[in-house]
């Protein structure tokens, strides 16, 4: 189960970050395809590892989901640290793979903000309170929707189809992604941000550590709140 979380998160971040690279980096085949292309790409990037590994260990691939399901009572608290560790490590490796895959395009891209955006999020309008609200609520919707879907069909989200989670990600991306880019997952933002800081990316900017705590802490709080409310509503 731990290995499936590690491998699944690698797949999620590698595919998701690579979608962003394909749109933002200079000279790619899909350069300039826009935000809709990215939202659809991330929708599938989340669904693919769920399809691959959901039958093994639940296919969390997100510390906020792991915490939320544990608070709800659908996941063993004793496994939480190992799951989160595997997810964070997987996110780092996935980001490194994106850099390796798109390295020539990183080298010819002058836009330093675009290079950073491949790995992690930044707000459209920088406002600590509003950015915190965005990440909290978007993650709350994610985890609460997963819990509700699992109640309706215990194998539907992480069973033989990734379509359930795909629709949730599509809804969040199109409806709630315009403010902070809907990180909703520390393994998808903090781990790749660390990878960005360590990788030998040509002419890169700083990793924006001042903002990094928001897409790290607020998704965790959103997941916990969703799990706690789920325990009241659905149990």
């Amino acid at each position: 189960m731990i290995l499936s979380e590690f491998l699944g998160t690698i797949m999620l971040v590698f595919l998701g970050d690579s979608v962003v690279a394909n749109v933002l980096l200079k000279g790619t085949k899909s350069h300039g395809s826009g935000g809709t292309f990215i939202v659809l790409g991330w929708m599938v990037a989340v669904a693919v590892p769920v399809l691959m590994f959901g039958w093994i260990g639940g296919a969390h691939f997100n510390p906020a989901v792991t915490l939320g399901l544990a608070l709800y009572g659908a996941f063993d608290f004793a496994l939480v640290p190992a799951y989160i560790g595997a997810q964070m490590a997987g996110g780092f490796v996935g980001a490194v793979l994106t850099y390796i895959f798109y390295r020539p395009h990183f080298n010819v891209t002058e836009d330093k903000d675009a290079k950073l955006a491949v790995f992690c999020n930044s707000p459209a309008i920088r406002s600590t309170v509003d950015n915190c609200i965005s990440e909290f609520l978007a993650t709350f919707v994610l985890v609460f929707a997963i819990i509700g879907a699992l109640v309706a069909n215990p194998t539907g989200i992480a069973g033989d189809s990734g379509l359930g989670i795909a629709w949730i990600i599509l809804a969040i991306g199109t409806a709630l992604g315009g403010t902070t880019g809907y990180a909703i997952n520390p393994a998808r933002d903090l781990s790749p941000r660390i990878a960005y800081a360590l990788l030998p990316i040509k002419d890169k900017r700083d990793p924006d550590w001042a903002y990094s705590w928001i897409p790290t802490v607020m998704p965790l709080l959103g997941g916990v709140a969703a799990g706690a409310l789920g325990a009241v509503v659905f149990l």
Side-chain angles (χ1 to χ4, degrees), residues 67-226:
L67 283 175
L69 292 179
L71 262 294
Y72 170 65
F75 187 71
D76 187 353
F77 263 110
L79 292 174
V80 168
Y83 259 53
I84 292 179
Q87 293 155 2
M88 297 302 288
F92 182 92
V93 174
V96 171
L97 290 176
T98 293
Y99 169 69
I100 293 171
F101 194 93
Y102 280 98
R103 187 179 63 84
H105 297 278
F106 278 103
N107 289 340
V108 299
T109 299
E110 296 88 7
D111 188 339
K112 296 181 179 182
D113 289 336
K115 293 179 183 180
L116 177 62
V118 170
F119 296 90
C120 53
N121 289 329
S122 60
I125 297 175
R126 194 170 291 258
S127 167
T128 298
V129 172
D130 296 301
N131 300 156
C132 284
I133 291 172
S134 292
E135 285 296 329
F136 177 88
L137 288 179
T139 312
F140 178 91
V141 169
L142 169 69
V143 178
F144 198 67
I146 289 173
I147 291 172
L150 288 174
V151 171
N153 180 4
T155 62
I157 290 292
D160 59 0
S161 172
L163 289 179
I165 190 65
W167 294 126
I168 295 172
I169 297 300
L170 178 62
I172 293 172
T174 53
L176 307 178
T179 55
T180 60
Y182 69 114
I184 61 175
N185 183 352
R188 172 265 178 275
D189 189 279
L190 180 60
S191 292
R193 196 183 297 263
I194 294 171
Y196 170 87
L198 298 176
L199 285 167
I201 300 170
K202 182 180 178 181
D203 297 329
K204 65 181 179 180
R205 55 157 291 179
D206 69 280
D208 196 6
W209 295 121
Y211 177 75
S212 66
W213 70 272
I214 294 178
T216 301
V217 174
M218 300 316 295
L220 296 177
L221 296 179
V224 167

Side-chain angles (χ1 to χ4, degrees), residues 12 15-24 30 32-48 117 121 165-184 188:
L12 183 153
L15 293 177
D17 281 5
S18 294
V19 169
V20 182
N22 198 14
V23 172
L24 297 185
S30 297
S33 296
T36 301
F37 190 94
I38 292 174
V39 169
L40 291 174
W42 265 106
M43 168 189 173
V44 179
V46 175
V48 167
N121 289 329
I165 190 65
W167 294 126
I168 295 172
I169 297 300
L170 178 62
I172 293 172
T174 53
L176 307 178
T179 55
T180 60
Y182 69 114
I184 61 175
R188 172 265 178 275

